[in-house]
Amino acid sequence: MSSSAANAPASTPSVHNFINGSYVAGVRTFDKVSPVDGSLVSQVQEAGRETVDEAVKAARRALDGGWGRMSVADRARLLRRVADRIEERFDDFVAAEVADTGKPEAMARALDVARAHANFRSFADTISATGLDSFLTETADGGRALNYAVRGPLGVVAVIVPWNLPLLLLTWKVAPALACGNAVVVKPSEETPATATLLGEVMAEAGVPDGVYNVVHGFGPDSAGECLTTHPGIDGVTFTGESKTGSAIMRAVAPLVRPVSFELGGKNAAVVFSDADLERTVDGLARSVFTNTGQVCLCTERVYIQREVFDDVAAGLTERAEALRLGRPEDPATTTGPLISQAHREKVLSYAALARQEGATELTGGGIPAMGGDLDGGAWMQPTLWTGLDNSARTLREEVFGPVAALVPFDTEEEAVALANDTDYGLASCVWTSNLERGHRVAQRMRVGMSWVNTWYLRDLRSPFGGSGLSGIGREGGAHSLHFYTQPTNVCVQL
Ligand SMILES: NC(=O)c1ccc[n+]([C@@H]2O[C@H](COP(=O)([O-])OP(=O)(O)OC[C@H]3O[C@@H](n4cnc5c(N)ncnc54)[C@H](O)[C@@H]3O)[C@@H](O)[C@H]2O)c1
Ligand SMILES: O=C/C=C/C=C(\O)C(=O)O
């Protein structure tokens, strides 16, 4: 993203902040360029400190104006209306997400936008089915008391999200926050401002009161992100993004001791045993390494393969990598889009160079593909596989967030578990085996939040999602989300 193009054509869309039910300008604009070919997608209104202040105050007014006390049935009904409206405007959301991210249109349909309405329905169901915790207490003197905890909203919640699955990750947080009666101020990534903004229209169309859902645009440090996290009017921060940004946000909220929920980076391992169904495994591995050009926090970047099948798995995965079709989002044959930006491609290419310095052999990829024509102005990167690295290499320790993985052999189950767990991250893993006992055993020994067996990124929105170590703080999903987005008051009544 560059600074504002003074000569942008008059037809260039302008993306505004959404505050108290209206679209408002910011303090300056910045350009959003397409990762497909470098063309200008939109000009974005950057929120300044005062714009963010307006958004936080609008959220507080909405909360105090009755939203926080609306009946659960009414709130759930509104969330379902939002879901319906997203479905009715499905193509608009797909177009906006694809323009910002460059991802294949088929993927935006099947994953990003499909999950957006599913998120609202799932949390409408969860909040409708949730009861109160209660205890009948017997005291030493023979008395009895009833303890029960009522849950109120956390308050004004800051929602800060990244660019890889913009609408999916945003709605994964906004849906439970609203279900619990909070008002939100959302800060989407500067790379992907469009769908969060469009969601403002949908909220209004669905009848969500003004001020409940607000959007401010901009960057992190010295911009909308920092203005939001340092604002004394927020009651908590839910954040998805890089671990080092999580650390900066923790420092920002420390003076006022605000709660945080963090879904951060990963350096996820796959473990392939020699008894696995190799065709299915290689298909699953290819998906886990290359989905969304490797830009999913759950993507596999370390593949540990039992030595007997190492060559077969490496050959199969290389074949799958070379069969990927990089291309325009609207082409139905496209499997793989560009990276999000030139800056991000520089980072991923620097890891390709580092891997070579660290002694890697490239099975495939490692550079920039010749796309031809205007696509050469995009942020394209070849799917890349390495061998010859071990766990001491930086390439195996640091999150790259691109279409890359290192393949490493192992001999025993013990060794595989130790290698997979030898990381500062703790987000996700997948284990491939036809021995079900081993599948359960190894999956449970992975120090991660999500441990898949013979699959990857298969989601049930009621299950806990999140990570430990550098991968995050807390879990969201189903009742876990409700815990973060509410605060309990325990009532004790002497009987
Ligand atoms: N664990 C998960 O569920 C999950 C999901 C998706 C992405 N991620 C992680 O996200 C990263 C990629 O996304 P990214 O590059 O957009 O992450 P990022 O941390 O750079 O940015 C995320 C968001 O934080 C904002 N931000 C940046 N600095 C800030 C600051 N100091 N204060 C407040 N806000 C700030 C950004 O503007 C953006 O909106 C990867 O590390 C990936 O693993 C994790
Ligand atoms: O890039 C990270 C993906 C996170 C996915 C989810 O939060 C989800 O599927 O709910």
Side-chain angles (χ1 to χ4, degrees):
M1 193 151 312
S2 58
S3 61
S4 183
N7 300 324
S11 58
T12 304
S14 183
V15 179
H16 281 69
N17 303 288
F18 184 75
I19 298 176
N20 202 32
S22 300
Y23 286 103
V24 300
V27 289
R28 62 184 83 83
T29 63
F30 61 90
D31 292 348
K32 161 63 198 166
V33 300
S34 167
V36 172
D37 56 10
S39 61
L40 185 64
V41 175
S42 61
Q43 289 192 301
V44 188
Q45 293 283 337
E46 181 178 351
R49 196 166 285 282
E50 279 170 20
T51 331
V52 171
D53 184 54
E54 254 182 72
V56 173
K57 286 185 174 143
R60 176 70 57 196
R61 281 196 306 275
L63 191 71
D64 295 344
W67 171 250
R69 292 187 303 279
M70 184 185 275
S71 77
V72 167
D74 285 345
R75 275 207 308 270
R77 200 171 301 122
L78 277 180
L79 293 191
R80 292 198 176 94
R81 243 189 256 157
V82 171
D84 291 345
R85 197 67 195 129
I86 293 173
E87 278 197 291
E88 284 158 16
R89 301 197 58 183
F90 198 87
D91 290 345
D92 296 340
F93 278 102
V94 170
E97 202 73 306
V98 166
D100 276 357
T101 60
K103 66 176 66 187
E105 201 180 296
M107 183 191 172
R109 288 184 178 280
L111 179 63
D112 300 70
V113 184
R115 263 295 298 281
H117 58 78
N119 285 339
F120 281 101
R121 293 219 169 81
S122 178
F123 286 104
D125 290 347
T126 302
I127 195 73
S128 305
T130 300
L132 302 182
D133 288 338
S134 67
F135 297 94
L136 187 58
T137 310
E138 292 164 327
T139 54
D141 61 1
R144 282 149 60 95
L146 180 62
N147 277 278
Y148 65 92
V150 288
R151 287 192 165 268
L154 183 58
V156 173
V157 179
V159 179
I160 303 182
V161 280
W163 44 258
N164 58 333
L165 302 170
L167 185 67
L168 184 162
L169 293 171
L170 169 79
T171 52
W172 173 241
K173 292 176 176 303
V174 168
L178 299 197
C180 295
N182 298 281
V184 296
V185 180
V186 167
K187 214 297 283 166
S189 167
E190 55 275 25
E191 294 290 353
T192 52
T195 45
T197 310
L198 183 54
L199 188 62
E201 254 176 62
V202 161
M203 291 281 173
E205 289 162 357
V208 173
D210 291 349
V212 169
Y213 175 82
N214 307 278
V215 182
V216 292
H217 291 298
F219 305 83
D222 300 322
S223 182
E226 191 180 313
C227 293
L228 186 56
T229 53
T230 52
H231 196 293
I234 60 163
D235 297 300
V237 180
T238 180
F239 168 73
T240 300
E242 279 189 43
S243 307
K244 67 174 171 16
T245 311
S247 178
I249 292 176
M250 279 182 98
R251 285 193 295 275
V253 300
L256 291 175
V257 199
R258 298 298 191 242
V260 294
S261 175
F262 283 171
E263 295 178 357
L264 309 177
K267 188 72 187 177
N268 310 303
V271 176
V272 181
F273 288 98
S274 58
D275 58 25
D277 171 338
L278 289 192
E279 279 299 297
R280 177 178 169 191
T281 300
V282 169
D283 284 341
L285 281 178
R287 211 166 65 77
S288 79
V289 174
F290 298 119
T291 293
N292 206 37
T293 321
Q295 302 168 115
V296 180
C297 57
L298 309 162
C299 275
T300 300
E301 291 192 3
R302 300 180 291 144
V303 187
Y304 299 105
I305 306 166
Q306 207 155 22
R307 200 173 302 274
E308 300 89 293
V309 293
F310 186 86
D311 290 345
D312 289 344
V313 172
L317 196 53
T318 303
E319 194 181 296
R320 302 300 191 280
E322 290 175 354
L324 293 171
R325 289 278 300 269
L326 278 59
R328 294 186 190 279
E330 60 280 9
D331 181 345
T334 297
T335 58
T336 308
L339 293 167
I340 191 66
S341 64
Q342 299 288 349
H344 188 52
R345 183 170 70 174
E346 283 309 306
K347 175 183 162 184
V348 177
L349 286 171
S350 77
Y351 276 99
L354 177 66
R356 288 190 286 270
Q357 273 172 29
E358 291 183 315
T361 300
E362 257 159 16
L363 293 180
T364 187
I368 297 175
M371 300 297 293
D374 57 339
L375 295 188
D376 283 332
W380 302 90
M381 162 88 193
Q382 291 172 328
T384 301
L385 295 170
W386 299 299
T387 57
L389 294 167
D390 65 33
N391 270 17
S392 63
R394 275 181 56 205
T395 319
L396 269 149
R397 306 207 70 83
E398 297 172 15
E399 182 187 53
V400 181
F401 218 58
V404 302
L407 280 47
V408 179
F410 71 87
D411 292 301
T412 66
E413 182 178 311
E414 256 337 282
E415 188 190 355
V417 169
L419 285 167
N421 285 338
D422 175 22
T423 171
D424 296 328
Y425 290 94
L427 191 60
S429 63
C430 49
V431 178
W432 300 87
T433 175
S434 57
N435 176 337
L436 212 53
E437 273 176 39
R438 169 183 269 163
H440 283 284
R441 188 169 62 232
V442 174
Q444 290 178 33
R445 291 185 66 194
M446 293 289 149
R447 276 203 306 271
V448 294
M450 285 76 63
S451 195
W452 280 288
V453 180
N454 293 330
T455 186
W456 174 79
Y457 199 13
L458 177 60
R459 293 280 282 115
D460 184 318
L461 306 187
R462 299 165 299 183
S463 60
F465 188 97
S468 54
L470 283 184
S471 294
I473 296 179
R475 296 291 184 275
E476 297 199 29
H480 300 271
S481 298
L482 304 192
H483 274 113
F484 179 73
Y485 294 105
T486 57
Q487 44 190 347
T489 300
N490 188 69
V491 179
C492 178
V493 185
Q494 172 85 61
L495 298 178

